Amino acid sequence: STFKSLPIPWSERRRKKLRKRERDFEFSAWHFLAFSQMRVCVCLCTDVSAQEQPELFLKKLQQCCAVFDFMDTLSDLKMKEYKRSTLNELVDYVTVSRGYLTEQAYPEVVKMVSYNIFRTLPPSDSNEFDPEEDEPTLEASWPHLQLVYEFFIRFLESQEFQPSIAKKYIDQKFVLQLLELFDSEDPRERDYLKTVLHRIYGKFLGLRAFIRKQINNIFLRFVYETEHFNGVAELLEILGSIINGFALPLKAEHKQFLVKVLIPLHTVRSLSLFHAQLAYCIVQFLEKDPALTEPVIGGLLKFWPKTCSQKEVMFLGELEEILDVIEPTQFVKIQDPLFKQISKCVSSPHFQVAERALYYWNNEYIMSLIEENSNVILPIMFTSLYRISKEHWNPAIVALVYNVLKAFMEMNSTLFDELTSTYKSDRQREKKKEKEREELWKRLEDLELKRSLQSDGIIPT
Amino acid sequence: MAGADSDDSLYPIAVLIDELRNEDVQLRLNSIKKLSTIALALGVERTRTELLPFLTDTIYDEDEVLLALAEQLGNFTMLVGGPEYVHCLLPPLESLATVEETVVRDKAVESLRKISHEHSPVDLEVHFEPLVKRLASGDWFTSRTSACGLFSVCYPRVSSTVKAEIRQHFRTLCSDDTPMVRRAAASKLGEFAKVLELEYVKSDIISLFTALASDEQDSVRLLAVEAGVSIATLLPQEDLEALVMPTLRQAAEDKSWRVRYMVADKFSDLQKAVGPEITKNDLVPAFQNLLKDCEAEVRAAAANKVKEFCENLPEDSRETIIMTHILPCVKELVSDTNQHVKSALASVIMGLSTILGKDNTIEHLLPLFLAQLKDECPEVRLNIISNLDCVNEVIGIRQLSQSLLPAIVELAEDAKWRVRLAIIEYMPLLAGQLGVEFFDEKLNSLCMAWLVDHVYAIREAATCNLMKLVEKFGAEWAQNTIVPKVLGMANDPNYLHRMTTLFCINALSEVCGQEITTKHMLPVVFKMSNDQVANVRFNVAKSLQKIGPVLDSNCLQTEVKPVLEKLASDQDIDVKYFAQEAISVLSLA
């Protein structure tokens, strides 16, 4: 067999707890009985004739519907081992056999898989499971579960597999339950689920829109309601390849998904866990349709992190990926708000943020875009650069800023000199404006006070 | 801007709007938070014709700004000219109610609900209800979600034709195809049911409730549980069994633990809503099941409700039900494998003694209390100890004292300082219940040991504890038992312990009174003013400042003043500072 038996990690609480599997108990019990009675020591592939194989295959599928309690590490050891070897047989059988997939087999396969993998996921061990800090709780029944997933993938990938028959059993309800499992804390399970869902998406055209819509809902709930879902990275990985296959021109549905779902995903606290996959999806979209650049960058700027420097660095990284593929005509549309933000980043007191932003000037393509538009960008950037070249605490940042200033000087020396000479008067003008604002508000507040006194009848009108 | 002074209402709107458009988010936010000031400057008419259209058009902003705007608009009625014009506020709030960010949307709905009451019945039908309908049939889920919260505020005040439409819209949203909307509808179902006529509760609401309670998503089903409780309070007793109970029974056995958790969490409300008969027949077995649930989360939620559930049982059968049905489950929970379950139980179990009376408590509950007092988890022991007063009233604490003592001692020495801190906080309560004799014999030494704990927070709490004990047992007791020990620490080689003496004096001088302070404490303080550690010396200055008000003026002038003056010329800058401060506070200069 190709499967190593992995050690079962346990947590104190899980080990002690007797967890009943939440499913149709009567059915399980019945199957369990059947399981022990029908225990047949014939091997599916080698021990019986080709004619008898399909029937034995069905029997073994039914046997494997019995689910065991892995919380209790000592119970039913023989039975568990027997099921494990049966599952192994099933895996081998669907891999090597030909002509095994009768129509009757489809519902039995789906039933067996459903009985084994669909369950209400248990509450997390730690009160506030933090995927960045805590060790995930691994699924105790993995020795069986893994083989069931393996079997199902081989079944879906088998040459004899016919989606037209399977779609009666692999339906919307099946997919919905499958998607809920992506919240599993066990990364091994999520990895298998990813492959399963990917195969189903590929083979069942009728389910595609439904799958996309449900992923939509999962993400929206994640962003706006719970901020908790373990499988976001895996789902985004699948979406990455789905987006890749979108036909042009993009449907309104897909654009809405980008703007209303993918962009808001950037606001989530645990962004670092799925940022790479998310950025990949975004760039895929922009490569498909460059006209989306404006809403995407507008969205990123709207959700720009205010207090989390770590996230700010991620945003800057993603922005560079976008700039790498941006069309010059699109760049012109967004350069103004974009460089206002970059100018804030280069003057960030957090040196990693400033450094990440200043690295843009090492990117040849970005440099060429800046150069073409130096008339617009230089005035936006100048004030921040000039100020931090004198004030920043970190010498490495100051050095980088000098290089950037030097580059600007070479690009457009006339404008540069002009900005240098007006730097002081600009600052003074700003201060004056600030003072005017303060006075305006003071007068407004006096007015409010006066009005409220009037309405209280203290000052007669 | 010149000339604006002469006529307040002529502030150019452009200037004000510039403020709302400022590039700096923080400034924009500040301006929005003062939107009422701007409106005031513009006057009601220009607020209606110029400011509100501007706000409606420029809704795309940072969520934080939008949140402030949504909140402001809820209090804007007077600024647009009173209830007559309140409908002018609807367009910007309608846009805000469709925003993605939940907090913004919720705030917009809150403001809409608020101003709905300020609409006349005619305006409600002409302006408000059409808005609700537009939201309810919006393309994107956000507007439909917001609509769910608005039905109940307009329903009572509109004509019967419009009522029928509203019911239809609510029905549609309950079977919306996005779960977000179904969740919003489920969470507002109870509220909506309350404003409906009983016949429609029976015909419409029940079927919606049943459908939501069997939704494919557990996040929807669990919200239906709460609605079920509200609905049950609305229906006459004879309809409950047929209309609500089948669904609630099913929820209590739902395959998702989240739904069962919700049932456990709402169990007391449910019990009150369905009344004594159904409680006896249905809820008792359901509660037993929840107490034995396979998920710890559910057991803990149910354990939390044990006392309340028992309290609210019908009086005629209360004791029998508790003794035969509930207590056996409770007994099992005492040795549950999960500490959260045990600790939830420990926080309520003592309350059962008042319900069951003396004999039952001694025979059945006492062994459980004792077992929990020996539990391996400190939180369980603490929860028992912190609720001792309930038992004290019924059987007196003596019954427990044998086991109490080892438990207290063990907690007092727990390796976690937070556990030690928690037990210190219960000391005054325990002392009151156990009496002075028992205290002196068994607990006094513990209280003194905490004074030399290596964690400052514990020493500080121990000091405060001494003060509370003196308040309970009196000054004479203090002089005989704790004051000598406290003062003895003034000679400790560890300066931290010497400082503890000063902290104790600070805390005790007032409750001990002038005589003890002057005669016993003050000399020790004076002696410590020569301490070689500066920290001790400046704490002497602080102590003198603290106990000064307790002393008579003669003593202050002749004894305290010279000591403080000496400290005020200390080499150490901090000692000087605090000495001078004490001199000025006590007016000794």
Side-chain angles (χ1 to χ4, degrees):
Chain A
S1 152
T2 49
F3 310 110
K4 282 171 269 171
S5 70
L6 292 155
I8 309 161
W10 50 268
S11 73
E12 181 63 20
R13 179 172 150 239
R14 288 291 170 83
R15 192 178 61 86
K16 286 183 182 171
K17 187 163 58 185
L18 275 175
R19 187 197 308 285
K20 284 174 270 174
R21 297 288 288 231
E22 290 157 344
R23 65 185 72 240
D24 190 339
F25 288 107
E26 274 179 43
F27 185 89
S28 275
W30 180 82
H31 265 271
F32 184 77
L33 257 181
F35 198 63
S36 36
Q37 282 163 5
M38 300 194 314
R39 199 169 153 199
V40 273
C41 299
V42 281
C43 177
L44 196 49
C45 309
T46 52
D47 293 357
V48 295
S49 70
Q51 284 152 316
E52 287 171 289
Q53 278 179 8
E55 208 195 319
L56 189 57
F57 177 56
L58 291 185
K59 259 188 195 159
K60 297 219 170 199
L61 282 171
Q62 281 162 6
Q63 288 182 331
C64 287
C65 285
V67 176
F68 294 93
D69 182 5
F70 275 81
M71 294 304 149
D72 188 345
T73 44
L74 298 174
S75 70
D76 309 316
L77 286 178
K78 273 188 188 160
M79 285 298 172
K80 283 177 185 165
E81 174 52 28
Y82 178 65
K83 178 170 170 182
R84 200 189 61 80
S85 66
T86 310
L87 283 168
N88 262 326
E89 266 177 49
L90 289 174
V91 172
D92 291 344
Y93 183 69
V94 290
T95 315
V96 300
S97 300
R98 293 286 167 267
Y100 73 97
L101 257 184
T102 58
E103 261 196 78
Q104 299 100 292
Y106 285 86
E108 294 303 325
V109 167
V110 175
K111 193 160 90 184
M112 190 278 276
V113 171
S114 303
Y115 269 86
N116 279 281
I117 67 172
F118 294 152
R119 61 210 191 275
T120 305
L121 294 169
S124 184
D125 258 356
S126 32
N127 275 349
E128 276 274 299
F129 176 67
D130 177 357
E132 280 169 289
E133 293 282 331
D134 301 330
E135 280 290 307
T137 307
L138 297 178
E139 179 55 49
S141 60
W142 194 242
H144 287 175
L145 208 52
Q146 180 186 23
L147 293 170
V148 174
Y149 278 118
E150 193 65 42
F151 164 77
F152 192 43
I153 289 169
R154 307 269 177 114
F155 166 75
L156 291 169
E157 286 173 349
S158 147
Q159 285 178 348
E160 296 179 13
F161 178 78
Q162 285 179 280
S164 55
I165 303 174
K167 74 178 180 194
K168 271 185 270 177
Y169 312 104
I170 297 178
D171 53 7
Q172 295 194 348
K173 194 168 177 236
F174 184 91
V175 168
L176 202 60
Q177 295 181 82
L178 196 70
L179 282 167
E180 275 173 23
L181 290 176
F182 275 82
D183 194 22
S184 168
E185 254 181 59
D186 193 330
R188 303 170 301 181
E189 179 167 20
R190 296 202 302 272
D191 207 48
Y192 272 107
L193 284 164
K194 193 172 66 187
T195 314
V196 170
L197 187 66
H198 195 259
R199 298 292 176 272
I200 291 178
Y201 191 88
K203 291 186 191 279
F204 297 83
L205 302 185
L207 286 172
R208 288 185 176 180
F210 180 79
I211 292 175
R212 288 196 307 268
K213 199 168 80 187
Q214 295 310 321
I215 294 180
N216 238 317
N217 289 342
I218 289 176
F219 284 170
L220 288 168
R221 179 164 72 146
F222 173 64
V223 174
Y224 294 115
E225 293 181 15
T226 60
E227 287 220 351
H228 176 91
F229 193 83
N230 290 314
V232 176
E234 285 80 2
L235 290 175
L236 282 169
E237 231 174 284
I238 298 170
L239 281 167
S241 64
I242 292 178
I243 296 164
N244 206 353
F246 281 162
L248 286 171
L250 288 177
K251 286 190 208 160
E253 174 213 329
H254 301 324
K255 291 184 190 169
Q256 190 182 48
F257 173 68
L258 169 69
V259 176
K260 299 219 168 192
V261 184
L262 287 186
I263 299 289
L265 267 176
H266 287 86
T267 59
V268 175
R269 212 172 7 173
S270 54
L271 176 67
S272 65
L273 294 170
F274 54 83
H275 182 250
Q277 291 84 348
L278 179 58
Y280 178 79
C281 287
I282 301 275
V283 172
Q284 288 287 305
F285 260 114
L286 296 182
E287 286 198 293
K288 285 262 164 194
D289 184 358
L292 292 167
T293 310
E294 213 179 338
V296 165
I297 292 193
L300 288 178
L301 294 176
K302 180 180 171 187
F303 296 130
W304 200 270
K306 304 270 185 307
T307 52
C308 181
S309 315
Q310 214 189 342
K311 265 174 96 172
E312 226 176 330
V313 173
M314 284 185 252
F315 269 57
L316 284 165
E318 182 173 346
L319 214 45
E320 185 166 2
E321 283 180 55
I322 294 172
L323 289 173
D324 273 334
V325 300
I326 201 166
E327 287 187 1
T329 47
Q330 297 295 329
F331 180 82
V332 179
K333 289 187 196 162
I334 49 86
Q335 58 182 352
D336 185 69
L338 176 63
F339 277 86
K340 278 180 181 154
Q341 182 58 55
I342 292 175
S343 132
K344 280 184 208 157
C345 292
V346 294
S347 50
S348 167
H350 196 297
F351 83 96
Q352 284 174 334
V353 175
E355 186 181 59
R356 187 67 192 81
L358 288 163
Y359 279 166
Y360 282 11
W361 275 262
N362 295 339
N363 182 315
E364 272 177 41
Y365 183 60
I366 298 179
M367 266 304 263
S368 73
L369 291 168
I370 293 177
E371 191 162 1
E372 268 166 54
N373 300 286
S374 63
N375 278 332
V376 182
I377 295 170
L378 183 48
I380 298 173
M381 295 295 300
F382 184 78
T383 315
S384 302
L385 292 172
Y386 193 81
R387 192 170 46 78
I388 45 175
S389 72
K390 301 202 180 326
E391 287 174 9
H392 206 281
W393 63 271
N394 185 304
I397 297 298
V398 174
L400 281 170
V401 165
Y402 269 119
N403 288 338
V404 172
L405 281 171
K406 213 176 112 209
F408 272 132
M409 203 165 15
E410 283 161 10
M411 256 176 228
N412 196 336
S413 59
T414 334
L415 182 56
F416 190 90
D417 291 343
E418 204 179 297
L419 289 168
T420 321
S421 60
T422 54
Y423 179 79
K424 256 197 186 143
S425 55
D426 282 350
R427 295 295 75 67
Q428 275 165 352
R429 203 171 330 122
E430 265 171 36
K431 272 187 193 150
K432 196 172 154 237
K433 228 174 125 190
E434 178 61 24
K435 224 175 160 189
E436 280 173 7
R437 280 196 63 252
E438 271 173 36
E439 274 167 24
L440 168 70
W441 278 105
K442 210 170 156 280
R443 268 190 287 175
L444 284 175
E445 269 151 32
D446 289 347
L447 173 73
E448 189 178 17
L449 196 68
K450 208 168 105 195
R451 290 269 172 98
S452 73
L453 288 176
Q454 272 172 7
S455 64
D456 290 346
I458 296 170
I459 302 172
T461 45
Chain B
M1 288 298 296
D5 291 351
S6 54
D7 185 352
D8 297 335
S9 65
L10 286 182
Y11 273 97
I13 181 137
V15 175
L16 300 175
I17 282 179
D18 263 359
E19 283 301 292
L20 295 172
R21 273 193 188 132
N22 201 305
E23 239 172 63
D24 187 327
V25 191
Q26 193 53 48
L27 293 179
R28 223 156 56 225
L29 187 59
N30 292 346
S31 308
I32 283 282
K33 283 185 176 161
K34 292 179 191 157
L35 198 61
S36 58
T37 311
I38 292 178
L40 206 58
L42 290 171
V44 291
E45 201 178 319
R46 298 184 68 195
T47 299
R48 287 200 300 269
T49 54
E50 294 175 50
L51 183 61
L52 289 176
F54 165 76
L55 292 174
T56 314
D57 291 342
T58 52
I59 222 73
Y60 185 86
D61 201 335
E62 304 243 355
D63 291 327
E64 205 158 341
V65 177
L66 297 184
L67 175 67
L69 179 59
E71 185 168 9
Q72 289 278 318
L73 291 177
N75 303 315
F76 240 57
T77 310
M78 291 321 287
L79 293 163
V80 293
E84 209 181 322
Y85 296 100
V86 66
H87 59 85
C88 298
L89 298 173
L90 297 179
L93 282 171
E94 180 173 353
S95 315
L96 290 167
T98 62
V99 160
E100 260 79 27
E101 179 51 53
T102 328
V103 285
V104 176
R105 227 178 326 130
D106 288 350
K107 191 53 92 180
V109 170
E110 195 185 311
S111 289
L112 279 169
R113 287 169 71 113
K114 208 164 162 185
I115 64 168
S116 73
H117 304 297
E118 285 155 352
H119 282 70
S120 68
V122 176
D123 280 350
L124 204 64
E125 278 196 27
V126 177
H127 299 288
F128 197 88
E129 201 269 341
L131 170 147
V132 179
K133 268 196 263 182
R134 277 195 301 278
L135 288 176
S137 43
D139 283 338
W140 190 240
F141 79 96
T142 51
S143 74
R144 301 200 298 278
T145 313
S146 294
C148 294
L150 296 172
F151 294 118
S152 65
V153 290
C154 48
Y155 190 85
R157 294 170 61 212
V158 292
S159 67
S160 57
T161 347
V162 179
K163 279 185 176 178
E165 283 173 28
I166 293 179
R167 289 196 303 275
Q168 180 52 45
H169 277 292
F170 194 83
R171 251 198 309 275
T172 314
L173 294 184
C174 283
S175 54
D176 196 277
D177 97 315
T178 70
M180 287 78 79
V181 177
R182 293 203 304 279
R183 279 195 285 277
S187 68
K188 300 292 177 193
L189 182 65
E191 176 189 293
F192 188 56
K194 280 183 193 154
V195 299
L196 245 60
E197 297 79 0
L198 186 60
E199 53 174 313
Y200 294 121
V201 173
K202 288 191 198 172
S203 61
D204 286 29
I205 297 290
I206 295 297
S207 64
L208 297 176
F209 165 61
T210 316
L212 290 168
S214 46
D215 195 275
E216 62 198 6
Q217 305 236 336
D218 60 0
S219 54
V220 178
R221 295 201 299 276
L222 67 89
L223 290 167
V225 171
E226 209 174 346
V229 175
S230 306
I231 295 168
T233 56
L234 300 171
L235 292 174
Q237 191 68 32
E238 65 268 21
D239 289 329
L240 286 175
E241 179 52 47
L243 299 180
V244 196
M245 286 315 292
T247 309
L248 286 175
R249 268 194 286 269
Q250 171 197 320
E253 289 167 4
D254 197 280
K255 66 179 167 32
S256 162
W257 62 269
R258 290 184 190 86
V259 179
R260 299 197 305 275
Y261 172 89
M262 199 59 161
V263 174
D265 195 50
K266 301 279 165 226
F267 217 80
S268 302
D269 299 333
L270 181 60
Q271 184 185 10
K272 282 176 204 151
V274 298
E277 276 314 302
I278 294 182
T279 296
K280 270 194 263 183
N281 301 332
D282 277 286
L283 296 195
V284 172
F287 194 58
Q288 284 174 294
N289 285 337
L290 292 170
L291 289 171
K292 291 187 219 155
D293 197 275
C294 57
E295 284 301 342
E297 272 71 6
V298 180
R299 292 200 301 280
N304 256 321
K305 301 285 165 192
V306 163
K307 183 194 152 200
E308 248 181 293
F309 181 74
C310 293
E311 244 169 16
N312 296 329
L313 284 170
E315 221 166 306
D316 57 345
S317 49
R318 185 190 292 156
E319 194 177 317
T320 334
I321 293 177
I322 298 177
M323 298 305 293
T324 51
H325 299 292
I326 307 298
L327 207 57
C329 301
V330 169
K331 277 181 186 160
E332 270 179 52
L333 290 183
V334 167
S335 49
D336 198 276
T337 48
N338 183 289
Q339 66 171 51
H340 299 294
V341 176
K342 286 187 292 187
S343 120
L345 182 69
S347 66
V348 298
I349 190 173
M350 310 288 271
L352 291 180
S353 49
T354 24
I355 305 171
L356 287 178
K358 191 173 175 184
D359 295 341
N360 279 329
T361 300
I362 294 176
E363 193 183 336
H364 299 285
L365 294 177
L366 197 57
L368 304 182
F369 301 158
L370 296 177
Q372 291 215 298
L373 268 179
K374 294 188 189 104
D375 198 274
E376 60 184 4
C377 164
E379 207 183 317
V380 176
R381 282 175 268 149
L382 263 178
N383 280 347
I384 289 288
I385 291 175
S386 60
N387 286 299
L388 278 177
D389 45 342
C390 322
V391 186
N392 196 25
E393 288 160 21
V394 182
I395 56 167
I397 211 160
R398 290 279 158 183
Q399 297 271 5
L400 275 173
S401 54
Q402 288 295 359
S403 313
L404 208 48
L405 196 65
I408 293 172
V409 172
E410 210 179 308
L411 288 168
E413 288 159 2
D414 196 281
K416 293 195 188 76
W417 69 267
R418 282 176 202 282
V419 174
R420 300 201 295 278
L421 186 64
I423 189 75
I424 294 177
E425 276 159 10
Y426 293 118
M427 259 313 141
L429 185 79
L430 285 171
Q433 282 162 6
L434 292 165
V436 67
E437 246 171 76
F438 186 90
F439 184 85
D440 281 344
E441 195 182 316
K442 316 276 187 189
L443 300 179
N444 196 3
S445 54
L446 280 181
C447 291
M448 300 317 288
W450 282 320
L451 288 174
V452 294
D453 197 282
H454 61 272
V455 174
Y456 176 75
I458 299 297
R459 298 199 297 275
E460 192 189 24
T463 315
C464 179
N465 173 45
L466 287 188
M467 182 182 75
K468 287 185 185 150
L469 290 174
V470 177
E471 277 170 0
K472 270 214 159 69
F473 294 150
E476 198 185 326
W477 173 82
Q479 195 187 342
N480 294 332
T481 50
I482 59 172
V483 171
K485 288 184 191 164
V486 165
L487 297 181
M489 281 163 58
N491 301 318
D492 198 287
N494 184 337
Y495 85 101
L496 290 172
H497 297 170
R498 298 203 293 282
M499 291 213 298
T500 305
T501 300
L502 290 171
F503 298 147
C504 287
I505 289 173
N506 294 348
L508 293 176
S509 63
E510 203 184 324
V511 279
C512 287
Q514 198 185 57
E515 200 198 322
I516 297 178
T517 307
T518 318
K519 231 165 114 186
H520 300 281
M521 296 178 180
L522 199 56
V524 177
V525 178
F526 287 155
K527 203 179 135 209
M528 291 169 89
S529 71
N530 298 317
D531 200 288
Q532 55 185 350
V533 177
N535 295 42
V536 178
R537 294 202 301 281
F538 77 63
N539 271 299
V540 166
K542 280 168 134 185
S543 286
L544 288 173
Q545 180 185 328
K546 183 93 211 269
I547 65 177
V550 184
L551 306 171
D552 69 40
S553 58
N554 182 35
C555 167
L556 278 174
Q557 285 297 335
T558 57
E559 297 183 60
V560 175
K561 191 177 171 186
V563 174
L564 282 175
E565 278 169 348
K566 193 188 77 193
L567 290 172
S569 57
D570 199 280
Q571 289 173 325
D572 186 277
I573 181 170
D574 294 320
V575 179
K576 269 191 206 169
Y577 172 82
F578 285 110
Q580 273 153 5
E581 193 183 65
I583 288 172
S584 86
V585 169
L586 296 173
S587 321
L588 294 174

